[in-house]
Amino acid sequence: MHKILRLILPFLWYTTTLAQTPAVNHSLVPVGLRCDLLAFSDYQSVNGYPVPSQWNKTAFEQTQSVHLLSKMPAFSWEIASKGENIMQQAYRLLVADNPDSLAANKGTIWDSGKIRASASTAVDYKGPALEEQKCYYWKVKVWDTSGEESPYSKPVVFYTGKTLVDYQTVRYPLAKTDTYPKTMRQGTGLVFADFGKDAFGQLKLTLACHTEDDTVLVHFGEALTSDGRINRQPGGTIRYRNYRLPLKQGIHTYQIRFHPDKRNTGSTAVLMPDYIGEVLPFRYIELEGYAGKLTKENVVRSVVNYPFNDEAAFFESSDSVLNKIWELCKYSVKATTFAGVYVDGDRERIPYEADAYINQLCHYAVDKEYSLARYSHEYLIKHATWPTEWILQSVLMATNDYLYTGDLRSARKYYADLKAKTLTALEEANGLISTTTGKQHTDFLRSIHFNGEALKDIVDWPHSGILGLGKDDVGETDGFVFTDYNAVVNAYYYKALRGMAELSKALGYQQEASDYGRKAERVYQVFQKQFFDPKQKIYRDGIGTNHASLHTNMFALAFELVPEKYKSTVLAFVRSRGLACSVYGSQFLMDAIYNADDGDYGLSLLTDTAQRSWYNMIREGSTITMEAWGNQYKPNQDWNHVWGAVPANIIPRKLMGVEPLKPGWDHFQIKPQIGNLQYARIKVPTIKGAIEVDCQQSDSQFFIEAKIPANTKADLWIPAKQVKGKIKVQVNGKQQAANAVNGWIKLLALGSGNYQIAVAN
């Protein structure tokens, strides 16, 4: 009997203990861990080439690597589960100063304990002060709303810099990738190579020489002539250069050393770091005077860009032109990160707010990357440029930054600067702002960090009569009439005030949030009174003129200044003007069109093949978006300007309708407006995980499949233009009743999981 008890009791103890131990749900395990928004805080490279990361101080110090600079970093993670209605209820985060302690589940530096919260983005470190130049290791586990517990995530390391501050954005080092020609042609004394796409990079050649005095002339270019040679006089700022390369006897590998360009290496330009060296945008090379034979492996272009995940985003549709536009614009975002900060292309390499605003939205849409957008935004806060509206865009960028990351630390640090950049100092008694009424005093300009004489209203760029445009050339402003009170400027003012109200509230500044809200409401009312033309039911350019431009009306629609009852007349006017704006202005034109639920017109512009179109950039030979619709529209234009890449964000945000509603993507919407496309499918990267949407339609049915990440909720808008009132919708094979209102069926606050929804047309 005792022998039997000795055998049974351990079993009873084990099974009883097991029953009392909460089950660990491996599908909940946190993934995609980020420290200070960086997914790879252990990133290490040598001279631009990534190397295997070693988790020790020596490796971090002897490579180009990530050094965190904030005393109180912030942590983010995703939840891997693809289950239904998975929401985080609590988390526990450990930080240790050695990997062995962390492996033993000991937070020797900080153990958060079990924190009951759904927050999984921008969770602040709350342990003791971190030491400088030291490795720290962390991991996290979560519980869902049913109480199920996840395993701990895989560990992650970060390294602190020499000097720690309260908060500072960090970036990755720039990366190099060696590429080879897609095609090569060799003739007598001439080698032509095409790398397939334009890129900022350098060139290495492995050449053979049988004498002591051979010389090769190397040509670099972005454009070709009609006979397939590199264009030596491409015009504008389209690049062409040549270098004479003396050869040594034998077989040697040569690195072409590019000479700095005076214009893009001046005092206000962003310079290339020493570990990378100077770069040039080129797609084609020609070797003139080389008699040997070359393989593609002998011709190496070292492409430079910010680390980029080509697989983070995906889009495909039934329209081949739209697919080409997407690929052009997505690649443009990657290619133009070569400087480690958003710049205006190769001509000047200077950051501008307008470029950065568009670049920010595009970068969010094509990669799960936030540090470069944040760094560029913060750079521009201290290095303001001259257009009035572009100062106001700093506030718009700060609002986007918080909305997409859920991280308020940047807004908190730069709050005083953002307040100044709302330009309330220029507000007159009528509630509108003006740059021409004598308020641009020295203290004001200093407060916005502008070193010039005065701000000037821009509306769009270029204006007629400048940059090689004749007086009869209309420029890109659609004949906008500038007055003391500019409707476009004040539309921006309204948008900035609304953004500051949101940021102030999130930061806990309730009185200032209320003040900004009241100011915004006043601007809204004055905007209607001063700029609205009740006869035409559209908006005028300013006080004192009856002229109405595309720009005034598209900005009013884009920034939600148009009352519902007048949206149809304003939209009709916008449609009548076509693409009478620049590639920069097209950002707000497309926002306006889709905000007015006119996806048919939006798609027609995205897929247009006329001269003023994104397709024209491809037709003229560029593989990175241009600074203008074509060479004829801006005489000094370049072929590597990301502010022309607007479809990279419009396709995900508006055509597919995937946009955050609450900070950190806690709640978002899917509102597809796919026009007459037979199908369109997309993967949108977010800080909570990828959102996937697949739309298909026929004459009889609209079908949508949506994959919603864990720890989020989504509002799903389903187009139902042919039906009104009650309608049956099939959700995951089950029929349910829904209401069709204004052409939409809304399914609100859907939890995570995979949804398949069909609506009969």
Side-chain angles (χ1 to χ4, degrees):
M1 182 68 177
H2 291 292
K3 184 176 181 181
I4 294 173
L5 286 174
R6 284 198 302 269
L7 292 171
I8 293 175
L9 285 174
F11 175 75
L12 291 174
W13 175 87
Y14 174 76
T15 54
T16 303
T17 303
L18 187 64
Q20 293 174 347
T21 303
V24 174
N25 188 339
H26 288 270
S27 72
L28 291 175
V29 64
V31 297
L33 274 63
R34 293 173 180 267
C35 190
D36 274 3
L37 298 179
L38 296 179
F40 304 102
S41 53
D42 63 343
Y43 187 95
Q44 296 170 4
S45 62
V46 175
N47 297 327
Y49 292 99
V51 297
S53 297
Q54 300 180 44
W55 288 15
N56 58 69
K57 177 178 179 178
T58 300
F60 277 103
E61 289 293 334
Q62 293 183 353
T63 61
Q64 288 95 40
S65 58
V66 174
H67 293 192
L68 264 65
L69 301 173
S70 298
K71 292 178 181 177
M72 298 294 190
F75 305 102
S76 303
W77 57 89
E78 304 166 26
I79 296 174
S81 176
K82 293 179 172 58
E84 295 181 0
N85 299 309
I86 300 298
M87 290 294 294
Q88 176 184 298
Q89 180 192 56
Y91 67 86
R92 183 181 178 187
L93 198 153
L94 304 179
V95 180
D97 57 359
N98 66 85
D100 293 336
S101 293
L102 194 70
N105 298 334
K106 295 179 180 179
T108 55
I109 300 301
W110 182 48
D111 183 341
S112 72
K114 186 176 180 179
I115 304 296
R116 293 192 175 276
S118 62
S120 61
T121 58
V123 173
D124 291 335
Y125 169 76
K126 294 181 179 178
L130 299 177
E131 297 180 23
E132 297 163 347
Q133 294 182 283
K134 187 172 180 177
C135 288
Y136 291 93
Y137 309 83
W138 73 281
K139 63 183 181 180
V140 65
K141 66 161 57 174
V142 301
W143 289 261
D144 69 9
T145 49
S146 64
E148 289 197 320
E149 177 184 355
S150 79
Y152 275 107
S153 66
K154 291 181 180 180
V156 173
V157 69
F158 64 88
Y159 183 74
T160 53
K162 291 182 179 179
T163 303
L164 299 183
V165 297
D166 289 339
Y167 163 78
Q168 186 168 330
T169 296
V170 291
R171 298 171 292 167
Y172 295 114
L174 292 172
K176 283 186 178 180
T177 305
D178 286 347
T179 63
Y180 304 96
K182 297 293 183 183
T183 60
M184 284 180 58
R185 299 195 307 266
Q186 299 185 56
T188 304
L190 181 69
V191 178
F192 173 88
D194 177 3
F195 288 91
K197 290 183 178 179
D198 198 2
F200 286 82
Q202 299 160 342
L203 186 68
K204 291 182 289 189
L205 296 169
T206 300
L207 304 178
C209 178
H210 303 294
T211 65
E212 296 182 355
D213 57 357
D214 272 1
T215 298
V216 173
L217 187 61
V218 185
H219 302 268
F220 298 82
E222 293 184 288
L224 296 180
T225 60
S226 58
D227 62 353
R229 296 289 299 274
I230 291 177
N231 193 336
R232 269 73 162 163
Q233 295 180 318
T237 322
I238 303 166
R239 291 307 186 194
Y240 164 73
R241 288 207 197 157
N242 65 71
Y243 288 87
R244 192 165 295 279
L245 178 63
L247 303 183
K248 296 180 179 180
Q249 194 166 7
I251 300 175
H252 300 280
T253 298
Y254 302 86
Q255 169 87 49
I256 305 297
R257 185 176 181 181
F258 295 131
H259 304 311
D261 185 303
K262 290 183 179 180
R263 177 139 194 205
N264 63 29
T265 55
S267 59
T268 56
V270 174
L271 304 181
M272 297 302 297
D274 290 340
Y275 67 87
I276 292 292
E278 191 51 72
V279 294
L280 181 74
F282 65 95
R283 173 179 173 177
Y284 310 102
I285 67 160
E286 289 178 359
L287 273 63
E288 190 176 350
Y290 185 67
K293 292 292 184 182
L294 287 179
T295 66
K296 292 180 180 179
E297 290 71 27
N298 299 138
V299 183
V300 180
R301 183 178 64 174
S302 300
V303 174
V304 176
N305 55 264
Y306 199 70
F308 189 91
N309 181 0
D310 292 284
E311 297 181 352
F314 168 84
F315 174 75
E316 182 185 43
S317 77
S318 56
D319 191 299
S320 61
V321 170
L322 186 62
N323 297 339
K324 291 176 182 178
I325 298 302
W326 163 258
E327 292 299 333
L328 167 74
C329 296
K330 177 184 174 181
Y331 175 71
S332 298
V333 176
K334 176 182 179 179
T336 56
T337 60
F338 70 96
V341 60
Y342 295 157
V343 295
D344 68 329
D346 191 51
R347 183 176 58 250
E348 297 175 304
R349 297 189 190 174
I350 296 174
Y352 287 91
E353 294 89 345
D355 302 69
Y357 176 79
I358 295 170
N359 205 337
Q360 175 195 49
L361 287 174
C362 292
H363 208 156
Y364 290 159
V366 298
D367 195 5
K368 196 183 300 184
E369 169 51 48
Y370 312 98
S371 58
L372 190 58
R374 177 172 285 191
Y375 180 87
S376 301
H377 156 57
E378 292 173 346
Y379 180 95
L380 282 159
I381 286 177
K382 300 296 184 180
H383 299 81
T385 62
W386 61 268
T388 314
E389 300 96 310
W390 296 3
I391 300 297
L392 291 158
Q393 287 191 26
S394 280
V395 184
L396 275 57
M397 282 188 276
T399 307
N400 286 338
D401 178 272
Y402 176 46
L403 187 60
Y404 278 78
T405 68
D407 187 349
L408 268 173
R409 292 175 303 153
S410 177
R412 182 177 292 112
K413 176 177 179 178
Y414 293 101
Y415 184 70
D417 296 303
L418 293 171
K419 288 173 63 177
K421 287 178 185 283
T422 61
L423 303 186
T424 54
L426 301 180
E427 186 177 285
E428 292 290 345
N430 62 5
L432 303 176
I433 62 172
S434 175
T435 55
T436 61
T437 54
K439 290 197 170 185
Q440 294 202 60
H441 49 73
T442 302
D443 289 343
F444 161 71
L445 296 174
R446 187 181 297 117
S447 74
I448 60 172
H449 304 286
F450 179 59
N451 295 322
E453 294 182 1
L455 301 181
K456 297 179 181 178
D457 302 351
I458 191 169
V459 175
D460 207 338
W461 195 253
H463 296 176
S464 62
I466 62 172
L467 299 177
L469 292 174
K471 291 183 179 180
D472 295 330
D473 293 326
V474 295
E476 297 288 8
T477 62
D478 193 33
F480 185 91
V481 175
F482 289 83
T483 65
D484 287 340
Y485 295 99
N486 178 328
V488 169
V489 166
N490 280 282
Y492 267 107
Y493 184 46
Y494 171 74
K495 183 72 170 177
L497 290 172
R498 285 184 54 187
M500 279 305 295
E502 294 171 13
L503 291 175
S504 299
K505 182 179 180 180
L507 289 166
Y509 306 139
Q510 299 302 329
Q511 185 57 55
E512 293 190 346
S514 179
D515 292 343
Y516 282 118
R518 281 195 297 270
K519 279 184 175 293
E521 180 57 30
R522 186 185 182 198
V523 173
Y524 181 91
Q525 298 301 333
V526 175
F527 196 93
Q528 311 308 320
K529 181 180 179 180
Q530 297 291 352
F531 301 126
F532 188 69
D533 182 342
K535 291 183 178 179
Q536 299 186 77
K537 294 182 173 55
I538 57 176
Y539 291 88
R540 296 179 290 245
D541 294 346
I543 296 177
T545 179
N546 288 320
H547 186 269
S549 66
L550 167 66
H551 296 74
T552 293
N553 288 275
M554 75 184 188
F555 276 105
L557 269 178
F559 293 162
E560 299 177 313
L561 277 157
V562 183
E564 191 66 35
K565 61 183 176 180
Y566 296 128
K567 281 186 177 180
S568 60
T569 55
V570 173
L571 178 62
F573 178 79
V574 166
R575 290 184 62 135
S576 74
R577 303 305 301 151
L579 268 173
C581 62
S582 74
V583 294
Y584 151 72
S586 71
Q587 175 68 59
F588 308 96
L589 172 62
M590 301 305 290
D591 278 339
I593 291 166
Y594 281 100
N595 285 357
D597 290 348
D598 195 354
D600 292 339
Y601 183 51
L603 179 62
S604 73
L605 292 181
L606 286 170
T607 57
D608 197 357
T609 58
Q611 281 192 316
R612 296 178 71 84
S613 69
W614 285 281
Y615 187 80
N616 189 57
M617 301 179 189
I618 299 172
R619 182 167 50 223
E620 291 197 8
S622 188
T623 57
I624 304 175
T625 51
M626 296 179 176
E627 190 181 6
W629 297 116
N631 295 335
Q632 71 188 82
Y633 299 109
K634 195 170 188 293
N636 71 335
Q637 87 144 331
D638 61 41
W639 274 19
N640 43 65
H641 212 105
V642 77
W643 80 345
V646 169
N649 76 75
I650 289 297
I651 290 172
R653 290 175 55 243
K654 299 300 183 181
L655 186 140
M656 300 302 291
V658 182
E659 290 191 278
L661 298 175
K662 290 187 178 180
W665 290 87
D666 286 349
H667 199 152
F668 62 93
Q669 75 174 17
I670 302 173
K671 186 182 179 182
Q673 298 186 61
I674 66 170
N676 62 6
L677 295 174
Q678 294 176 354
Y679 68 86
R681 55 184 68 102
I682 198 164
K683 179 171 76 170
V684 179
T686 84
I687 202 163
K688 288 287 203 305
I691 298 166
E692 296 184 43
V693 180
D694 185 345
C695 297
Q696 301 175 41
Q697 64 180 344
S698 64
D699 292 339
S700 60
Q701 186 185 70
F702 187 94
F703 175 84
I704 181 170
E705 181 174 4
K707 295 180 180 179
I708 300 172
N711 211 27
T712 68
K713 290 185 180 298
D715 293 347
L716 183 55
W717 296 51
I718 307 159
K721 295 181 180 179
Q722 306 302 320
V723 295
K724 295 180 181 179
K726 290 286 184 179
I727 184 173
K728 285 188 176 182
V729 178
Q730 191 177 82
V731 180
N732 291 344
K734 297 180 180 180
Q735 294 284 349
Q736 68 180 55
N739 280 318
V741 180
N742 296 325
W744 295 98
I745 297 168
K746 299 180 187 179
L747 302 179
L748 303 180
L750 298 176
S752 68
N754 188 14
Y755 294 85
Q756 295 180 332
I757 301 167
V759 177
N761 288 330

